[in-house]
Amino acid sequence: MWNEQDWQALAGHAQRCRQQSISALIAAEPGRQTAFARRLGPLYCSFARQHLDAEALADMQQRLQESGIQAEVRQLFDGVRINRSEDRAVLHTALRSNLGDSPESRAAYAAAQAVLETMSRLAGRLKDQGITDILSVGIGGSDLGPRLVLNALSEFGDSGFRVHFLSSADGMYLDRYTTVLDPQKTAVLLVSKSFGTQETLINGAVLKAWAGDSERIFAITASASRAAAFDVPPNNILPIWDWVGGRFSVWSAVAFPVVLGLGMPVFREFLRGAADMDAHFINAPMTDNLVYWQALMSVWNRNGMGYGTQGIIPYDERLELLPAHLQQVIMESLGKSVTLDGADCLQATSPVLMGASGNPSQHSFFQYLQQGIGTVPLDIIGVVISGHSQPTNHHFILANLLAQAESLANGQPSEDPQRRYPGNRPSTVMLLDELTPYALGLLLALYEHSVFVQSRIWGINAFDQWGVELGKQIATGLMPCVEGDQSDLSNLDPITRELLGVMLKS
């Protein structure tokens, strides 16, 4: 955790850097276009248009080094119970790499490897049973990651299964699926770590009745007993563990729909990409380590420059779901206001994350990004070699990626204030050589590790999420009232009572 001296130094650097524009900083540092760029395999990242100079960057790197971050990284990989508020280890890295030195981490890796084999067998069994469609039912981390991966890599799939996702308890999509799918040829996957997620259980109860029996109902959960009580057959239950947080679970059996949709070889390549980012995080020196670069840029923008929003803009439609996945990874992890010891945070933590695919968003919210009063630093993500056969389309997309990054930073003067572009708006450009399973694994693991580093700088716990619980508890108490029980409404919040009255009159 950074101390007061570290934050004062950051503020001093920020005050100095604000005196110059991004364009001026680039002009003052010859060779910055290469000095502020790093590559790992198919992933190239340019940080040259961030609003800081080499002096600020070097000092932040030195302070992070002196904070003992490498020892904390080792604790992460070794399964030390760094999730202190829940007294849990955080071992999602063991789902894809065997880099921990402890018996706990090695056991976790062995368990994860065994589940990969189980998923392969189950996939074969479903094919033999004539299953054609998979309906994956989950919410949050049980939905966002697998949905992203399957959408991004659909061209690699050859499994023969059609995969559908159902997350919300809103019954509209439930009705649509039960109307068009054949229950005799559909396997339902109920994905819930606790097997207590209300949205999943509400949908699951309807789908179990729709299926006619539980033969084609599967559970991916850490609570096999609850799944069994829901009448899921024991051979249809895949395990996850309490050392895997939901938003970091895309590497686990939570991604069984990915395995079914794309095949196990594709999923293993996805894991291999993440494993190589794990090794890079542990072994690469700080000055060449993409994780530390990315994390420090995020802290700089949040605390040095005071920007409260960050944008994720992928210029590839296959990555259109990336912002939604990263919203959970980043904001659920870093949206904290107290430190590990329960004290109030002295610095702002998570930014508000927004984003959408680049080309369509240029025609919606880029007006704000270019000329709005607030500044939103962006991660702009592109793919150099397309996955399609339309070169003109792809060249157009890449030209727009380059143009937006340039115009955001440099702006353009005009005597007409309506046509003036202020510029000085920072961005990081991330380029994947191609969008492959390996490259996607590399990219997602980069963001996960960046979140960990940021949490250690701020001294917060990135692995609990108590903030999601209160609303759930209140909703449970309100459920009978919404269903029509008006026997005792006196203890309700007065505004809730009024709104409930409006609902019940409709």
Side-chain angles (χ1 to χ4, degrees):
M1 179 177 176
W2 277 7
N3 59 36
E4 190 61 34
Q5 285 185 321
D6 297 320
W7 294 117
Q8 288 176 357
L10 184 76
H13 290 305
Q15 184 177 14
R16 181 187 68 256
C17 291
R18 285 195 196 95
Q19 305 308 309
Q20 298 188 75
S21 67
I22 293 173
S23 300
L25 290 175
I26 294 171
E29 296 178 341
R32 180 180 168 113
Q33 65 272 21
T34 54
F36 272 59
R38 293 293 184 273
R39 174 181 283 277
L40 177 61
L43 175 59
Y44 175 89
C45 296
S46 172
F47 305 94
R49 288 193 175 114
Q50 290 292 339
H51 198 169
L52 79 168
D53 57 19
E55 179 185 347
L57 174 62
D59 188 49
M60 285 196 297
Q61 290 172 334
Q62 180 67 27
R63 289 176 184 278
L64 186 55
Q65 186 91 39
E66 293 173 352
S67 73
I69 186 69
Q70 278 95 348
E72 295 184 299
V73 170
R74 177 47 64 187
Q75 289 180 340
L76 171 72
F77 280 85
D78 285 348
V80 175
R81 293 176 176 267
I82 58 174
N83 181 352
R84 283 162 46 180
S85 76
E86 296 180 303
D87 192 29
R88 290 176 178 172
V90 181
L91 272 170
H92 54 272
T93 54
L95 298 167
R96 65 222 188 186
S97 59
N98 193 19
L99 297 172
D101 293 332
S102 68
E104 292 82 2
S105 64
R106 288 192 290 269
Y109 178 76
Q113 293 301 301
V115 171
L116 291 178
E117 297 302 323
T118 302
M119 285 195 284
S120 291
R121 290 195 299 271
L122 285 179
R125 194 180 99 196
L126 290 172
K127 191 173 290 290
D128 292 342
Q129 290 175 345
I131 296 298
T132 59
D133 290 272
I134 308 297
L135 182 53
S136 181
V137 184
I139 196 165
S142 297
D143 172 77
L144 291 167
R147 194 191 290 255
L148 160 66
V149 174
L150 196 60
N151 192 65
L153 303 176
S154 61
E155 288 81 8
F156 292 87
D158 60 357
S159 68
F161 295 110
R162 295 185 294 263
V163 180
H164 319 274
F165 290 91
L166 178 63
S167 60
S168 174
D170 188 323
M172 185 58 68
Y173 279 97
L174 183 59
D175 279 356
R176 290 180 183 178
Y177 282 130
T178 54
T179 299
V180 301
L181 296 178
D182 181 348
Q184 298 303 311
K185 295 183 178 182
T186 302
V188 175
L189 312 182
L190 303 179
V191 189
S192 171
K193 181 177 173 180
S194 66
F195 216 79
T197 308
Q198 289 302 303
E199 293 90 343
T200 303
L201 295 181
I202 288 171
N203 285 328
V206 175
L207 289 168
K208 186 169 66 171
W210 171 76
D213 56 50
S214 296
E215 179 187 355
R216 293 171 302 283
I217 305 295
F218 292 76
I220 297 95
T221 183
S223 181
S225 60
R226 287 185 177 180
F230 198 79
D231 201 29
V232 179
N235 290 338
N236 289 10
I237 299 174
L238 283 166
I240 52 177
W241 305 273
D242 69 359
W243 40 262
V244 181
R247 55 195 174 277
F248 305 103
S249 65
V250 70
W251 322 99
S252 73
V254 165
F256 190 37
V258 174
V259 173
L260 293 172
L262 302 179
M264 183 57 78
V266 173
F267 186 62
R268 286 189 180 275
E269 271 296 285
F270 175 64
L271 296 178
R272 188 173 71 88
D276 281 359
M277 183 58 75
D278 294 342
H280 173 76
F281 183 31
I282 289 179
N283 297 319
M286 184 161 301
T287 54
D288 291 323
N289 197 304
L290 272 178
V291 174
Y292 293 120
W293 274 81
Q294 209 279 339
L296 285 173
M297 296 304 163
S298 296
V299 171
W300 172 261
N301 282 322
R302 187 70 182 101
N303 303 121
M305 304 306 291
Y307 301 140
T309 306
Q310 177 187 347
I312 304 291
I313 310 294
Y315 272 82
D316 191 300
E317 291 303 309
R318 294 170 294 177
L319 293 174
E320 64 177 333
L321 300 180
L322 180 63
H325 172 65
L326 292 181
Q327 280 177 329
Q328 186 187 27
V329 170
I330 293 171
M331 290 200 287
E332 193 166 84
S333 298
L334 301 178
K336 312 294 169 59
S337 56
V338 297
T339 67
L340 286 162
D341 296 324
D344 291 342
C345 290
L346 299 180
Q347 298 289 330
T349 56
S350 177
V352 174
L353 195 79
M354 53 82 71
S357 54
N359 189 218
S361 63
Q362 288 178 198
H363 296 266
S364 57
F365 58 78
F366 261 63
Q367 167 64 41
Y368 178 88
L369 299 181
Q370 289 281 7
Q371 291 186 312
I373 292 176
T375 296
V376 180
L378 302 181
D379 287 354
I380 300 175
I381 302 164
V383 179
V384 178
I385 300 174
S386 77
H388 56 73
S389 60
Q390 308 298 328
T392 300
N393 296 61
H394 190 58
H395 296 156
F396 177 83
I397 293 294
L398 293 180
N400 275 270
L401 179 157
L402 294 171
Q404 293 296 331
E406 179 180 323
S407 61
L408 284 163
N410 297 344
Q412 180 176 281
S414 174
E415 293 182 359
D416 179 355
Q418 306 294 338
R419 301 174 188 272
R420 182 178 67 86
Y421 291 81
N424 218 30
R425 297 173 184 227
S427 65
T428 293
V429 173
M430 301 178 173
L431 297 177
L432 298 172
D433 291 344
E434 296 181 75
L435 184 52
T436 63
Y438 177 87
L440 184 60
L442 205 70
L443 180 67
L444 298 191
L446 168 63
Y447 276 102
E448 288 183 355
H449 290 319
S450 173
V451 159
F452 174 71
V453 173
Q454 292 174 66
S455 75
R456 283 329 196 206
I457 291 174
W458 289 319
I460 60 177
N461 185 355
F463 303 110
D464 61 9
Q465 55 281 326
W466 296 108
V468 306
E469 296 301 322
L470 179 58
K472 292 180 182 179
Q473 295 167 13
I474 295 173
T476 299
L478 287 172
M479 188 69 172
C481 304
V482 175
E483 291 178 325
D485 182 359
Q486 301 183 57
S487 58
D488 184 10
L489 305 181
S490 60
N491 291 327
L492 293 184
D493 174 282
I495 308 302
T496 300
R497 186 167 58 244
E498 174 66 20
L499 293 170
L500 182 63
V502 173
M503 291 177 183
L504 294 175
K505 290 176 182 177
S506 299

